[in-house]
Structures are given as C-alpha cells and as structure tokens.
C-alpha cells in the first residue's frame, strides 16, 4: 500500500467495469432502514449485475452481460486491478464473488497512546469501570500517555489502526478526540485526525470533539466543565476541524444538565451533535438525546423502552457498540427487539484503549452468532444506516451501492454475501475499492 498525502483527494480518471458479480448487496434507497426492511432481500440484493465506476464515482449499474456487450470482455484480473498504471479503462470479472458496500464505522476513539492491557485482570477480579478509573486506570491514564506523545507518534498509531480497519472493509470512520482533555492536546488530536484523513488508500474520517470525556487530574469537575464551554469549545470552533461534538453523558461522568449545556452551546456554534448514553445505567441520556435530536446516541445499552421510542421519533439513530460489552465481559442488548419495534439503529466499533476492536465483520459475527440477528440486518446497520449520521467528505452518498454514490465497496472472497460475517478471525474480503481505486487485501 502506498501512503501519500493527498490534501484534495483528487479524483482520478480511470474507468473500471466490474462484471460477473455474484449477489450484489447494494442496499440502495433513501434514508436509514428499520424493522423488516432491514432483511428485505428483494429490495436490497440484486443478481447478475455489473458496475461501472468512473473516477471516484459509481456511474452505472446494469445487467452484467449488457455491460460486456458495451465495454467488451474482461481484459484484466482483479489482482491486476490493484496494480498501478493500468491505463484508462479496465473490464474485470469478479467470477461470481459477492459485493457489499464499504463499511461505515460511526463511532471510534482512534487516536491515543499508551497501553491499558493490565486492566483486563482487574476486570476479571470484578472491578467496575469506575473502580478502575479511581485506581488510576481508565480514560485518565490514557490521557497521560497521549499528552506526552508527539504528533508524529500519534499519527503513526493512527495509520496502523486505519490500515487494520481498512483491511476489515471500513472505508469511512468517525474519530473522536477526548484523550487530551485540555485545549492544546484536544486541538493536537484533531490536527492528527485531519492529517490522517489526507492519506490515500485508507478510510476517510469524520472528526468529532469529545472534550467532555472525563475530568482530567488536577481539575475540579466544576472548573473543567466550565472550561469546556468557555475555553475548549471556542478554540475547537476556531480551528475548524471538528464537524460534531460528543459528550460522555453518564452518571459519574457528565450529568444530563451538563451534557445539555455543552450540546446547546455546540449547536449554537454550528457543530453537529452526538452522545454517549446509558453505557452502565439508564441515566436519562436517552431522553436528552431525543430532546436535543442528536444525530447518533451511542452505547444505549440500558436505555429504557420509552426513551428508545422517543429517540426514534426524534430522528435519532441509536449506535450500538457491541465490542464494548464484549471487552467488559457483559451481555448485549436485545437487538431483535429493536427490529420488532421498528427502531433505527447502527453498529460501530467504539475502538478505544479498553476495547481494541476495529473489525466490524467481527462485531457482526457476534450479533449473528451470539444474538441471533439476521446478517442482512447487521450489514445495513454497518453501512447504509450509519452513513446517515456520518456523511462522506466528498458530499457523495456512501454506505450503499447506487448510481451517483462514491465508489466505496468490498469484494468478498466468496460467492455468498453472508460470508461477510462468518470469518471473525480474518478479513472476509478479497479487496476493497475506495474512491474508485481497488486495493487487494
Ligand atoms: O465509549 N465510555 C466512554 N468512552 C469510551 C471508553 C473510553 C476508555 O475506556 O478509554 C467508550 O467506551
Ligand atoms: Fe465511545
């Protein structure tokens, strides 16, 4: 993989025609899906299709034989497609392999330094998340390691993580700050995030400010909360990298009232809103998410049923983060209940020092094999649904394969689309096309 800084994500001119596709899980259509629409194969999957890609965009989806008639027989192999200098045009047979959209990971803590692996035994010994924090572990210990790391060290860590995510089919990822907890370091984390977003052949990035993640050592709760609004938020807005604000709204971290203040001030400053809610207890975050109509309210593990309905009616997308209960030794919410009740939801990695999972196919395998969720539902909740809260920087549609969308798609190493979540230990993909360029895995 060549890594070049490409500040403008310049579109290339190549035309690629993919033919002999097996099941094309295009997931096309407007908006997020819920209920039985999540598993409606007839409207979400097509057979015998081919795709024409010009530059970074999908320009045509048509019967494969018709495309061969128009553009000619396959003249390159998939492996050749990943090599540079192919000329201006290639027709490639996928030999029946299935294709799914590029995965959109709508919640990650991508950039931090340090190592909290010793906490695993503390967890096994029954220590809670807050007990680990009060013992010097948890978020604040990562903050110390992050503050003493240079931008270039943080950039290198970010690159390694983006490579892992990309190999697992992620073509776009949301990245939160939140391990700086002072203006200078929060700005540095966003600068590193921006620089990472300029690297080609890696997922594009949606930047979120999460200054309200914890109270740093040396500050009182009151002083830090006030500084978030008076100092950090204006500085973050001046810098202009963050698209959204997030708050860890949870008893013991930021109260519902504090979260509301930060969200209102952020909205007034022009930022979009996201929330961490109800990770450990039903603390009122769901009701706040609905009231504030945030784009995405995530974790939502203990949110009560009424609040779930209020969130849904307010247009809030619930982001379930199945890796976190996995890493904490806990069970998962009842995802099939969300389907029966017709709620809009997504799944995302929540990659962080306490939950180092970047593979959405792995998380999907958890939902399928441990929670009996249909693999088509998990796919929609990993692509089309999170794309609604996490737009692509080009302004083009993503998370679904349709004419006019960015050419982000995954080619499975199988003729069965279900294989996307049946290989939890390794990438199920032969390769990924990102912004019209095919990279072999
Ligand atoms: O979403 N819960 C808040 N933040 C992260 C975990 C952060 C950490 O433990 O370092 C989360 O799970
Ligand atoms: Fe998180």
């Amino acid at each position: 993989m060549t890594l070049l800084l490409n500040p403008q994500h310049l579109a290339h001119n190549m035309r690629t025609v993919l033919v002999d596709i097996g099941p094309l899980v295009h997931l096309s259509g407007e908006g997020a899906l819920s209920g039985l629409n999540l598993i409606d194969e007839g409207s979400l999957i097509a057979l015998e299709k081919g795709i024409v890609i010009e530059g970074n965009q999908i320009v045509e989806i048509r019967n494969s034989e018709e495309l061969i008639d128009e553009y000619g027989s396959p003249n390159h192999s998939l492996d050749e497609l990943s090599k540079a200098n192919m000329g201006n045009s290639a027709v490639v047979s996928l030999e029946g392999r299935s294709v799914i959209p590029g995965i959109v990971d709508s919640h990650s803590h991508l950039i931090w330094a340090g190592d909290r692996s010793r906490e695993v035994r503390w967890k096994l010994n029954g220590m809670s998340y807050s007990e680990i924090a009060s013992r010097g572990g948890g978020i604040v210990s990562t903050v110390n390691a992050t503050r003493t790391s240079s931008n270039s060290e943080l950039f290198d860590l970010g690159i390694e993580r983006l490579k892992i995510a990309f190999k697992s089919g992620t073509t776009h990822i949301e990245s939160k700050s939140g391990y700086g907890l002072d203006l200078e370091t929060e700005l540095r984390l966003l600068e590193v995030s921006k620089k990472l977003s300029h690297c080609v052949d890696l997922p594009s990035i949606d930047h979120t400010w999460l200054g309200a993640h914890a109270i740093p050592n040396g500050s009182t709760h009151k002083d830090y909360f006030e500084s978030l609004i008076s100092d950090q938020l204006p500085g973050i807005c001046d810098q202009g990298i963050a698209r959204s604000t997030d708050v860890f709204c949870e008893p013991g971290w930021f109260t519902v009232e504090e979260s509301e203040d930060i969200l209102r001030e952020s909205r007034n400053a022009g930022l979009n809103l996201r929330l961490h809610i109800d990770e450990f207890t039903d603390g009122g975050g769901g009701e706040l998410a609905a009231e504030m109509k945030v784009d995405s309210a995530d974790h939502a593990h203990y949110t009560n049923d009424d609040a779930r309905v209020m969130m849904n009616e307010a247009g809030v997308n619930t982001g379930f983060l199945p890796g976190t209960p996995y890493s904490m030794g806990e069970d998962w919410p009842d995802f099939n209940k969300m389907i029966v009740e017709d709620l809009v939801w997504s799944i995302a990695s929540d990659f962080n020092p306490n939950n180092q999972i970047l593979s959405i196919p792995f998380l999907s395998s958890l939902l399928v094999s441990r929670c009996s969720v249909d693999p088509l539902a998990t796919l929609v909740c990993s692509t089309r649904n999170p794309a609604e809260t996490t737009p692509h920087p080009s302004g083009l549609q993503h998370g679904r394969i349709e004419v006019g969308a960015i050419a982000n798609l995954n080619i499975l190493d199988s003729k069965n689309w279900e294989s996307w979540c049946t290989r939890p230990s390794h990438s199920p993909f032969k390769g990924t096309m990102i912004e019209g360029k095919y990279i072999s895995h």
Side-chain angles (χ1 to χ4, degrees):
M1 183 184 295
T2 325
L3 196 65
L4 293 169
L5 286 180
N6 180 1
Q8 283 145 353
H9 278 270
L10 291 175
H12 50 93
N13 295 322
M14 175 150 176
R15 180 205 290 139
T16 308
V17 183
L18 301 176
V19 296
D20 302 328
I21 300 176
L24 171 63
V25 192
H26 53 84
L27 310 181
S28 62
E30 283 292 301
L33 293 177
S34 59
L36 295 180
N37 290 328
L38 289 169
I39 51 173
D40 180 8
E41 287 185 48
S43 67
L44 301 174
I45 303 177
L47 300 174
E48 296 175 7
K49 294 289 182 194
I51 305 175
V52 183
I53 296 122
E54 284 179 5
N56 65 358
Q57 222 173 335
I58 295 169
V59 296
E60 201 176 353
I61 299 176
R62 207 156 29 113
N63 179 276
S64 179
E65 289 302 320
E66 287 173 22
L67 290 177
I68 290 171
D69 284 347
E70 181 166 344
Y71 293 98
S73 297
N75 53 17
H76 288 285
S77 69
L78 204 42
D79 287 336
E80 285 171 336
L81 191 60
S82 64
K83 309 223 163 64
N85 301 325
M86 291 254 327
N88 286 334
S89 153
V91 181
V92 178
S93 169
L94 296 199
E95 297 168 344
R97 292 189 184 88
S98 178
V99 172
I100 69 170
I103 292 168
V104 178
D105 184 351
S106 56
H107 183 134
S108 88
H109 306 255
L110 189 68
I111 306 164
W112 46 269
D115 179 359
R116 296 197 349 231
S117 41
R118 63 189 180 141
E119 291 175 15
V120 74
R121 296 184 91 191
W122 303 356
K123 285 188 257 180
L124 282 179
N125 288 334
M127 285 176 70
S128 70
Y129 191 78
S130 9
E131 284 165 340
I132 288 172
S134 61
R135 197 179 166 171
I139 296 172
V140 170
S141 81
T142 302
V143 169
N144 294 336
T146 303
R147 283 182 179 171
T148 51
S149 295
S150 68
N151 285 18
S152 97
E153 286 166 334
L154 294 169
F155 178 81
D156 289 347
L157 287 165
I159 286 286
E160 288 313 309
R161 293 165 187 165
L162 286 174
K163 283 183 187 172
I164 294 167
F166 184 65
K167 201 172 172 59
S168 292
T170 296
T171 50
H172 184 74
I173 188 165
E174 187 258 11
S175 162
K176 303 174 196 297
S177 67
Y179 290 107
L181 305 188
D182 58 33
L183 178 59
E184 183 199 333
T185 321
E186 288 292 306
L187 290 173
R188 283 211 293 129
L189 294 179
L190 287 162
E191 269 159 25
V192 170
S193 187
K194 183 174 179 189
K195 193 170 167 202
L196 288 167
S197 71
H198 289 159
C199 294
V200 295
D201 304 345
L202 287 174
S204 48
I205 301 182
D206 187 21
H207 315 283
T208 300
W209 169 57
L210 178 59
H213 196 194
I215 307 299
N217 284 339
S219 286
T220 65
H221 191 109
K222 182 169 174 292
D223 287 349
Y224 185 66
F225 167 68
E226 285 171 6
S227 76
L228 284 170
I229 291 179
S230 64
D231 180 38
Q232 274 193 45
L233 176 59
I236 295 294
C237 289
D238 282 349
Q239 185 197 38
I241 295 173
R243 192 183 67 85
S244 309
T245 290
D246 196 342
V247 179
F248 186 16
C249 176
E250 186 82 24
W253 276 268
F254 291 88
T255 67
V256 170
E257 293 72 23
E258 289 166 342
S259 304
E260 181 171 347
D261 283 352
I262 296 165
L263 293 180
R264 285 196 189 282
E265 294 292 335
S266 296
R267 176 168 280 156
N268 289 341
L271 293 171
N272 281 56
L273 308 181
R274 313 178 86 82
L275 268 180
H276 282 66
I277 61 163
D278 305 331
E279 179 177 352
F280 308 119
T281 182
D282 181 7
E287 287 82 353
L288 176 64
E291 185 193 331
M292 293 303 295
K293 297 187 181 343
V294 303
D295 294 338
S296 191
D298 300 355
H299 284 296
H301 196 140
Y302 293 98
T303 306
N304 64 77
D305 289 349
D306 289 345
R308 289 197 194 284
V309 172
M310 281 166 60
M311 281 164 51
N312 202 57
E313 285 172 353
V316 177
N317 191 318
T318 298
F320 290 112
L321 311 174
T324 304
Y326 171 85
S327 300
M328 305 283 285
E330 290 164 8
D331 286 336
W332 296 276
D334 185 349
F335 300 103
N336 279 325
K337 188 163 171 235
M338 314 301 162
I339 296 180
V340 169
E341 297 187 355
D342 207 22
L343 306 179
V344 170
W345 54 285
S346 301
I347 61 175
S349 72
D350 194 27
F351 174 82
N352 72 62
N354 185 46
N355 165 47
Q356 296 196 47
I357 297 171
L358 282 160
S359 167
I360 303 286
F362 166 67
L363 295 178
S364 188
S365 81
L366 282 182
L367 262 67
V368 171
S369 302
R370 312 304 303 167
C371 310
S372 306
V373 183
D374 189 287
L376 189 52
T378 66
L379 182 55
V380 175
C381 292
S382 307
T383 52
R384 175 166 163 174
N385 280 7
E388 290 295 309
T389 74
T390 318
H392 193 269
S394 64
L396 299 176
Q397 192 52 248
H398 67 152
R400 48 207 214 202
I401 298 172
E402 61 191 20
V403 172
I406 191 98
N408 283 356
L409 50 87
N410 286 303
I411 298 173
L412 282 152
D413 199 10
S414 167
K415 296 181 176 177
N416 298 317
W417 64 267
E418 296 90 338
S419 68
W420 96 275
C421 59
T422 60
R423 298 188 189 181
S425 72
H426 53 293
S427 175
F429 304 116
K430 174 107 175 121
T432 298
M433 178 170 278
I434 184 154
E435 303 190 12
K437 185 167 171 200
Y438 177 73
I439 312 285
S440 169
H441 296 312

